[in-house]
Amino acid sequence: MSDLVLAAEGLGKSYPLPKGELCVFEGLDFALRRGELAAVMGASGVGKTTLLNLLGGLDRPSAGRVLLDGGNLFAGSDREVAAVRNRKIGFVFQVFHLLPEFTALENVAFPLMIGGAAKKDAFAGAEAMLREVGLEDKTSSRPGQLSGGEQQRVAIARALVNGPSLLLADEPTGNLDWKTGENVLRLIL
């Protein structure tokens, strides 16, 4: 098995405008190997989030392709791309996107259940992951009952519960104080 996890080949994204189109970027090539950490930096509005959305299968590129574990991420239907995304890609967003009516345990178990795991197995995996992020005492808490740092750790646990090949984070500490942000980065690493 190759140690190449992610590759972008000739990647480009454009959006149609009433007169012409807006090219966010084009001809992007890069590769990421297992265990590598990369940061995408740039001014606001240059396409960092757009790039992450393409690499994570949330949006289709206008040109080029994304290879994940050697396979073309966008070779299948939207449903097939979603299944690959659920199995192989973890996301940590600046806005946590936790389901407010679910407990921490249910939020973390959700990707496992979407992937077809039995509820008992999904809850066991979610409980183990919450223990990993130091929230074993918060399994029955809803997001509104958690601090910002605790919510972010639930989001990290949810992103990692499937054992993804790739973890994508879009400003994962942007809404956190310095100390909590440092702890979240330590957890991600």
Side-chain angles (χ1 to χ4, degrees), residues 71-108:
N72 185 346
L73 179 58
F74 296 104
S77 67
D78 287 348
R79 184 181 209 93
E80 291 166 324
V81 171
V84 170
R85 187 174 53 238
N86 184 58
R87 274 191 331 272
K88 294 188 172 198
I89 303 171
F91 289 95
V92 181
F93 298 100
Q94 181 176 5
V95 178
F96 312 131
H97 296 297
L98 298 175
L99 298 169
E101 64 278 5
F102 282 20
T103 64
L105 184 68
E106 292 165 336
N107 267 285
V108 176

Side-chain angles (χ1 to χ4, degrees), residues 153-172:
R153 286 188 282 158
V154 170
I156 291 168
R158 181 187 57 199
L160 297 175
V161 74
N162 270 338
S165 299
L166 177 67
L167 178 65
L168 298 172
D170 191 359
E171 298 190 38

Side-chain angles (χ1 to χ4, degrees), residues 23-146:
C23 178
V24 180
F25 54 80
E26 60 187 349
L28 182 69
D29 295 311
F30 78 93
L32 191 62
R33 302 200 178 287
R34 202 162 306 284
E36 283 186 324
L37 176 68
V40 178
M41 298 175 9
S44 181
V46 299
K48 298 180 301 292
T49 297
T50 298
L51 175 61
L52 289 179
N53 288 341
L54 295 175
L55 297 177
L58 293 172
D59 194 9
R60 288 185 181 264
S62 305
R65 63 187 190 152
V66 175
L67 301 174
L68 179 63
D69 287 335
N72 185 346
L73 179 58
F74 296 104
S77 67
D78 287 348
R79 184 181 209 93
E80 291 166 324
V81 171
V84 170
R85 187 174 53 238
N86 184 58
R87 274 191 331 272
K88 294 188 172 198
I89 303 171
F91 289 95
V92 181
F93 298 100
Q94 181 176 5
V95 178
F96 312 131
H97 296 297
L98 298 175
L99 298 169
E101 64 278 5
F102 282 20
T103 64
L105 184 68
E106 292 165 336
N107 267 285
V108 176
F110 196 60
L112 293 169
M113 290 189 290
I114 287 174
K119 185 175 180 179
K120 179 182 174 186
D121 296 335
F123 278 25
E127 209 166 346
M129 191 55 64
L130 284 167
R131 196 171 22 262
E132 285 287 316
V133 299
L135 292 176
E136 59 274 3
D137 61 332
K138 301 289 185 177
T139 58
S140 61
S141 299
R142 299 202 189 293
Q145 299 169 311
L146 301 171

